[in-house]
């Protein structure tokens, strides 16, 4: 294995590599929000349907970072053109997912993947790049801010009571009856 990281567009043949690296994201998100995200798994193929569109659709791309022949990171990006009379017409590059092997973080892999995605989006007409990130993912937030991303909006959420649940102690905590 060489010590040099190489980057390339991912292909459909890379689907299991993407699924395996995706477990990094699954683990981070499940740890912080097990109420929303499924746990990571060694059955990588489970996630094929999720990642396939990033490899097959013409308005999307996935880039892979490799150390020798081992995949160590990836990013997904898509170009979209929101259409609304309330919005300025523009093509937007939307970053979907970014993952880098924990052992190799801090070597510029995430930054390089972000730059590749931004360049791809620019070549496909984008004049703005956007992404969503959970507040608990501080390492990702720091990277994005270092790369010039700014906080533009907040997504807020709230669990709601479903039939059969009882509010416990008047504090809004739902428990099963």
């Amino acid at each position: 294995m060489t010590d040099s990281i190489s980057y390339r567009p991912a292909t459909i043949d890379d689907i299991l590599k993407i699924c395996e690296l995706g477990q990094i994201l699954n683990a981070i998100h499940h740890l912080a929000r097990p109420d929303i995200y499924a746990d990571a798994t060694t059955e990588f193929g489970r996630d094929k349907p999720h990642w396939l569109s990033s490899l097959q659709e013409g308005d999307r791309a996935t880039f892979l970072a490799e150390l020798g022949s081992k995949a160590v990171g990836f990013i997904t990006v898509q170009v979209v053109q929101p259409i609304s009379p309330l919005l300025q017409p523009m093509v937007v590059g939307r970053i979907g997912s970014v993952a880098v092997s924990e052992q190799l973080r801090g070597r510029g892999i995430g930054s390089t993947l972000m730059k590749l995605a931004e360049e791809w989006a620019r070549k496909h007409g984008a004049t703005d790049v956007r992404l969503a990130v959970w507040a608990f993912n501080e390492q990702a937030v720091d990277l994005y801010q270092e790369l010039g991303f700014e906080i533009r909006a907040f997504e807020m959420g709230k669990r709601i009571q479903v039939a059969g649940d009882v509010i416990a102690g008047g504090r809004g905590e739902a428990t099963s009856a």
Side-chain angles (χ1 to χ4, degrees):
M1 195 180 293
T2 68
D3 195 36
S4 176
I5 306 293
S6 61
Y7 300 87
R8 65 176 176 83
T11 69
I12 195 72
D13 293 334
D14 296 313
I15 187 65
L16 288 178
K17 293 176 183 180
I18 303 294
C19 289
E20 183 176 3
L21 286 166
Q23 298 313 302
I24 296 166
L25 302 174
N26 287 30
I28 291 168
H29 289 83
H30 177 75
L31 181 64
R33 294 304 306 255
D35 57 318
I36 296 174
Y37 290 97
D39 201 358
T41 179
T42 56
E43 299 296 322
F44 310 135
R46 168 196 79 177
D47 300 338
K48 276 182 174 181
H50 176 78
W51 299 114
L52 276 173
S53 65
S54 296
L55 295 166
Q56 293 179 317
E57 305 293 328
D59 63 345
R60 300 168 193 203
T62 300
F63 293 93
L64 201 59
E66 295 176 308
L67 179 60
S69 61
K70 180 166 177 48
V72 295
F74 78 94
I75 190 168
T76 64
V77 59
Q78 174 181 14
V79 289
V80 295
Q81 189 167 6
I83 298 173
S84 169
L86 303 177
L87 299 174
Q88 295 292 341
M90 70 171 58
V91 178
V92 175
R94 178 142 321 262
I95 304 294
S97 296
V98 184
V100 175
S101 295
E102 291 180 46
Q103 313 88 296
L104 296 173
R105 290 190 186 148
R107 292 184 57 182
I109 297 169
S111 295
T112 300
L113 287 167
M114 291 289 292
K115 290 172 187 168
L116 285 169
E118 185 176 328
E119 184 57 30
W120 180 90
R122 182 182 357 268
K123 287 180 180 175
H124 286 82
T127 58
D128 198 56
V129 179
R130 301 176 186 170
L131 56 81
V133 60
W134 282 93
F136 64 75
N137 196 347
E138 294 173 9
Q139 197 171 24
V141 171
D142 290 345
L143 170 65
Y144 303 144
Q145 288 179 330
E146 285 174 20
L147 294 173
F149 284 76
E150 61 188 0
I151 296 172
R152 293 182 176 171
F154 291 97
E155 177 177 310
M156 298 176 74
K158 173 184 161 182
R159 300 281 301 195
I160 58 174
Q161 182 179 352
V162 295
D165 285 349
V166 182
I167 304 300
R171 296 181 316 220
E173 297 171 4
T175 58
S176 295

